[in-house]
Amino acid sequence: MSWRLKRLRYLLQRVGGSMAQRGLRGTLARIAQEFQQRPEQDATWQLEALDAPFAPFAVPCSEMPRVSVIVPIHGKLAYTVACLRSIARHGATAPFEVIVVDDASPDHSAVTLAQIDGLRLLRNERNLGFIGSCNAGAAAARGEYLLFLNNDTQVTPGWLDRLLDCFAEEPGCGIAGSRLAYPDGRLQEAGGLVYADGSAWNYGRFEQRDDPRFLYRRDADYVSGAALMIEATLFHDVGGFDRRYAPAYCEDMDLAFAARAAGRRVIYQPESLVVHCEGISSGLDPFAGVKQCQIANRATFADKWQAALQRQPAPRTPVETAIHHERWPHILIVDALTPDAARDSGSLRLLNIMQLLRELGWRVSFMADNRAATHDEIVQLGRVGAHALCKPWSPSLVTWLRREGATLDAVMLCRHYVAAPNLDLVRRLAPQATVLFDTVDLHFLREQRAAEHTGNNTLARQAELSRHRELALIQACDITLVVSPVEHALLARELPQARIELLSNVHEVYGRGAGFTARSGLVFVGGFNHPPNEDAVRWLVSEIFPRIHAQRPDIALHLIGEIPEAARLSLVTPGVQIHGRVADLTPWMESCRIALAPLRYGAGVKGKVNMAMSHGLPVVATGIAAEGMQLHDGDEILLADDAEGFATAVLRLHDDETLWQHLSERGLDNVREHFSFEAARAALHRVLPLPANTGDNLR
């Protein structure tokens, strides 16, 4: 029987299940897809060739591995060599070892693999099957974590390190699994789903691998043993892969259920992408060879876990409904643009809020008002567990709300010009949802101050219109979020009946790297897309820095942020270095001696000040830049509101190591107390307590 006929037999065998998950149209499209001509390999990948002549090479091998990569094999030498070559090519940051367990291969695998330097090669005296080989490899492993990897896989950059991230960043993570794709580029699996009868579904199978539905971290019922990482102690505590499933199949589902029974989570990690040539080891026909063990083992699994399966979705539940059967409370967040942490402090705040919401047990969906998102932005959202709803993958907000509005427990609308046109829509299509208005900063206050600073009457009238709009929204929404105690007090006076909550900037406290003497130069962070930043840079370059440069021409000023090319020309003066937008601020936070915030108008809390202080970098700022941050001149910060005073403060701090050290320590204390994840977590817990019907279901 040809492989295509065998594949059709397999597909028809699955039609009963796929009809429920995909519907009739989706099932017929799936069968037709199988017979379409497709390239064997995605053109964007450079996979290791299976027919390349063997030549000895080396794989990384640490004497003190953090991760033990365990590759069980039974023949199929060409695939094993290609897998190991991919590991050698891409490596990992974390120290690891590679253990190949040769399960009595019928070919010359052992002789060939013995020529690979750094490889730990174990040989079973008799054929133990996949489960026996994995357990044997785990017994010999030295790593804190075990990564089981099929020999018919090829890894890609980040394959190991991104799995390891889950154990550091996802509380209670016990197992993490990769996003699996076919060599032709289609998605193979984005975590597994288990139904109440013990049947399983590979979420995303044959879909496009870069669909945002499959690009965010989430809890899964199980992840495939083709690329699965688990804590070694947890693996041994639950007894390893259960031998009752020998030789193979259902052991990865069983391991996931055992991990959850031990109080641990199973995480799907899309940033770890592994290419898997499915069926090479055991074939695709469920009625022949090892593959036929699936049927018997599924019955064994259902019997063993019958109590736990009662909490799983009923058979034939549509997959997009079933995938969220744990009923985490669901929040939709709508902002003007998709957040990008490298673009502005508001983006960083929102991403950190989404991360905290997920930690607190919320399912997070995000949509930009223009529904646009780059691949990198989608990945950023996915890293904090948020599903990006964007073109071309997701419909308009109104269409999405008609379909999903009933699932929402809360909606957060960011900025008044986003909230105003969408509030009625949310109230109508998600009437049960708590509606939050996140001001980001009070726009009318910033516009009022800009009008006063410039003497612009048109801007003053615009500020008054914004004031009416924002106050009306605050009255109409259930909860309003502000970032500054000053704004909180202002609104409490204006609208005493409204519920106003303080949820300020959120920053990781990095701590101080280099000390005083190892640093040099000044740094300003802020792009011209925010008018107060443009005004600050022009004032800094035209009036403040010339005073500094006149006395200390050795001090450089670094400008970081999006500055148009035309504007750059007017800023080129001696000692000024324009770097533009950068992906990572850390090099400047760790090497410059002073951060500057010469803002002359604005509102809210300034992320540039928080960011510098979170790195222990002292700040010289204006009073408006330090507003609402519980900062005091000479204690956590130096303040000055005129060019001469600002330059004098910079020169004083630049040469006073004792003062520098004091401001560094007190700045770190300020971030810990007011702007840390701990402070924001407490605020979110108060603002959005978990609905009463969800607590027992959360993993």
Side-chain angles (χ1 to χ4, degrees):
M1 185 183 294
S2 73
W3 73 268
R4 287 192 183 276
L5 289 176
K6 289 181 179 179
R7 190 65 179 160
L8 179 58
R9 180 187 178 195
Y10 174 58
L11 286 168
L12 291 174
Q13 183 266 148
R14 292 195 60 171
V15 161
S18 64
M19 285 282 288
Q21 277 78 27
R22 291 192 176 99
L24 176 60
R25 180 179 297 178
T27 299
L28 294 175
R30 170 65 199 100
I31 293 174
Q33 181 192 55
E34 189 62 29
F35 295 93
Q36 292 176 354
Q37 290 294 324
R38 299 182 59 89
E40 292 186 2
Q41 181 178 315
D42 188 296
T44 62
W45 288 339
Q46 292 183 338
L47 300 181
E48 303 293 332
L50 296 173
D51 57 357
F54 179 80
F57 61 96
V59 294
C61 183
S62 170
E63 290 301 313
M64 298 182 64
R66 192 166 183 216
V67 180
S68 295
V69 180
I70 299 167
V71 184
I73 70 167
H74 179 70
K76 308 296 181 182
L77 175 61
Y79 288 90
T80 304
V81 171
C83 174
L84 296 174
R85 280 181 177 144
S86 74
I87 292 173
R89 175 196 286 192
H90 298 297
T93 302
F96 69 98
E97 64 177 352
V98 181
I99 301 171
V100 168
V101 184
D102 183 7
D103 195 23
S105 290
D107 57 14
H108 54 286
S109 289
V111 174
T112 302
L113 298 179
Q115 301 176 61
I116 299 176
D117 190 36
L119 185 68
R120 293 185 61 195
L121 181 60
L122 306 181
R123 300 186 67 184
N124 296 338
E125 294 183 4
R126 58 184 178 84
N127 189 291
L128 301 179
F130 178 83
I131 290 173
S133 294
C134 286
N135 287 343
R142 298 174 296 178
E144 180 184 354
Y145 298 91
L146 310 176
L147 200 172
F148 296 100
L149 190 69
N150 277 16
N151 70 322
D152 55 354
T153 61
Q154 292 196 33
V155 303
T156 68
W159 63 289
L160 184 150
D161 293 312
R162 300 294 75 80
L163 288 176
L164 206 53
D165 288 345
C166 293
F167 295 89
E169 299 168 2
E170 298 289 340
C173 177
I175 293 176
S178 302
R179 178 168 47 126
L180 301 179
Y182 291 101
D184 65 12
R186 290 176 300 168
L187 185 65
Q188 185 178 117
E189 180 183 309
L193 173 64
V194 178
Y195 289 91
D197 62 353
S199 61
W201 186 262
N202 304 118
Y203 184 52
R205 192 177 187 85
F206 304 118
E207 302 276 2
Q208 296 184 59
R209 70 177 186 274
D210 287 337
D211 187 321
R213 288 181 296 155
F214 314 123
L215 290 181
Y216 67 97
R217 281 191 210 172
R218 57 176 178 78
D219 288 69
D221 289 341
Y222 75 96
V223 292
S224 171
L228 178 156
M229 184 181 284
I230 183 172
E231 281 189 356
T233 53
L234 175 61
F235 185 77
H236 296 306
D237 286 347
V238 301
F241 285 122
D242 192 332
R243 290 173 177 81
R244 76 183 76 183
Y245 299 103
Y249 290 106
C250 296
E251 73 285 337
D252 45 12
M253 289 166 52
D254 179 88
L255 186 67
F257 272 61
R260 277 198 302 279
R264 307 298 289 276
R265 295 167 63 199
V266 178
I267 304 294
Y268 161 67
Q269 168 57 298
E271 290 188 89
S272 172
L273 175 65
V274 172
V275 180
H276 182 212
C277 303
E278 182 188 45
I280 296 304
S281 300
S282 304
L284 295 171
D285 191 339
F287 306 105
V290 176
K291 194 83 173 175
Q292 64 188 322
C293 294
Q294 280 185 312
I295 299 171
N297 284 356
R298 188 149 291 152
T300 301
F301 174 82
D303 181 64
K304 178 180 177 180
W305 295 104
Q306 55 183 313
L309 287 171
Q310 292 177 15
R311 297 189 294 272
Q312 298 299 116
R316 305 180 72 81
T317 301
V319 66
E320 294 298 335
T321 301
I323 203 70
H324 300 298
H325 67 87
E326 291 286 354
R327 191 57 185 102
W328 292 47
H330 188 190
I331 183 170
L332 170 67
I333 299 175
V334 185
D335 199 354
L337 302 173
T338 300
D340 178 356
R343 185 180 63 231
D344 54 62
S345 64
S347 290
L348 179 62
R349 170 179 175 268
L350 185 56
L351 285 165
N352 288 340
I353 286 173
M354 286 191 270
Q355 178 179 324
L356 285 169
L357 283 168
R358 186 162 177 272
E359 287 181 14
L360 291 170
W362 286 80
R363 169 186 162 204
V364 181
S365 297
F366 174 86
M367 182 180 287
D369 198 41
N370 61 3
R371 290 177 48 235
T374 66
H375 178 76
D376 287 346
E377 289 168 346
I378 293 168
V379 170
Q380 267 193 94
L381 285 168
R383 196 169 295 145
V384 298
H387 177 192
L389 306 171
C390 59
K391 296 180 288 191
W393 314 97
S394 298
S396 66
L397 179 60
V398 62
T399 301
W400 187 88
L401 282 172
R402 285 189 180 123
R403 188 182 69 206
E404 302 289 342
T407 73
L408 292 170
D409 298 278
V411 177
M412 187 164 88
L413 302 172
C414 306
R415 306 173 206 272
H416 74 89
Y417 52 85
V418 173
N422 291 314
L423 178 58
D424 288 345
L425 182 68
V426 169
R427 288 295 196 195
R428 178 163 50 87
L429 298 179
Q432 76 291 340
T434 299
V435 179
L436 298 90
F437 170 37
D438 182 22
T439 60
V440 182
D441 63 26
L442 284 177
H443 286 58
F444 79 81
L445 183 60
R446 172 157 48 85
E447 290 170 350
Q448 281 178 355
R449 289 171 172 175
E452 292 166 2
H453 175 69
T454 60
N456 187 322
N457 291 330
T458 301
L459 194 55
R461 289 191 292 273
Q462 174 61 44
E464 188 60 22
L465 287 173
S466 295
R467 178 178 176 275
H468 286 297
R469 290 194 191 102
E470 282 186 284
L471 294 183
L473 281 167
I474 291 166
Q475 289 178 306
C477 292
D478 299 313
I479 303 171
T480 295
L481 305 177
V482 295
V483 297
S484 164
V486 171
E487 295 177 351
H488 188 281
L490 185 157
L491 292 179
R493 291 192 301 271
E494 291 267 4
L495 300 170
Q497 75 282 9
R499 183 179 174 187
I500 314 297
E501 295 285 353
L502 179 64
L503 179 57
S504 198
N505 290 350
V506 188
H507 290 269
E508 182 177 343
V509 182
Y510 298 98
R512 184 173 57 251
F516 177 84
T517 57
R519 296 170 176 265
S520 64
L522 317 173
V523 61
F524 173 89
V525 178
F528 273 32
N529 57 334
H530 188 53
N533 284 335
E534 179 177 358
D535 176 77
V537 169
R538 295 192 182 281
W539 185 46
L540 174 60
V541 171
S542 64
E543 298 189 41
I544 297 173
F545 187 66
R547 290 175 163 86
I548 297 170
H549 188 72
Q551 296 190 44
R552 293 292 302 273
D554 58 310
I555 298 176
L557 170 61
H558 301 274
L559 301 179
I560 298 177
E562 204 162 306
I563 300 176
E565 193 61 37
R568 291 188 182 207
L569 297 175
S570 65
L571 300 174
V572 175
T573 57
V576 176
Q577 298 181 24
I578 303 174
H579 301 280
R581 183 174 169 182
V582 300
D584 183 9
L585 290 171
T586 303
W588 286 271
M589 297 293 104
E590 294 294 334
S591 64
C592 290
R593 189 170 288 183
I594 303 171
L596 308 180
L599 299 173
R600 295 192 288 183
Y601 67 93
V605 167
K606 310 306 178 293
K608 58 177 61 60
V609 176
N610 293 141
M611 177 61 73
M613 289 183 171
S614 72
H615 284 271
L617 177 60
V619 179
V620 177
T622 57
I624 200 73
E627 182 183 71
M629 299 179 68
Q630 296 83 31
L631 298 171
H632 307 90
D633 186 24
D635 192 8
E636 301 94 353
I637 197 169
L638 293 186
L639 299 176
D641 287 321
D642 63 274
E644 183 66 37
F646 203 100
T648 299
V650 171
L651 290 166
R652 172 192 170 201
L653 178 57
H654 189 273
D655 294 329
D656 189 335
E657 183 172 0
T658 300
L659 176 61
W660 189 95
Q661 189 75 25
H662 176 80
L663 295 181
S664 174
E665 292 291 344
R666 294 292 292 130
L668 284 166
D669 290 342
N670 176 268
V671 177
R672 289 189 190 99
E673 183 175 357
H674 301 292
F675 305 105
S676 63
F677 276 83
E678 289 71 22
R681 186 178 290 111
L684 279 170
H685 188 71
R686 181 181 67 252
V687 171
L688 283 174
L690 291 178
N693 64 334
T694 61
D696 293 339
N697 291 330
L698 299 180
R699 293 190 179 111

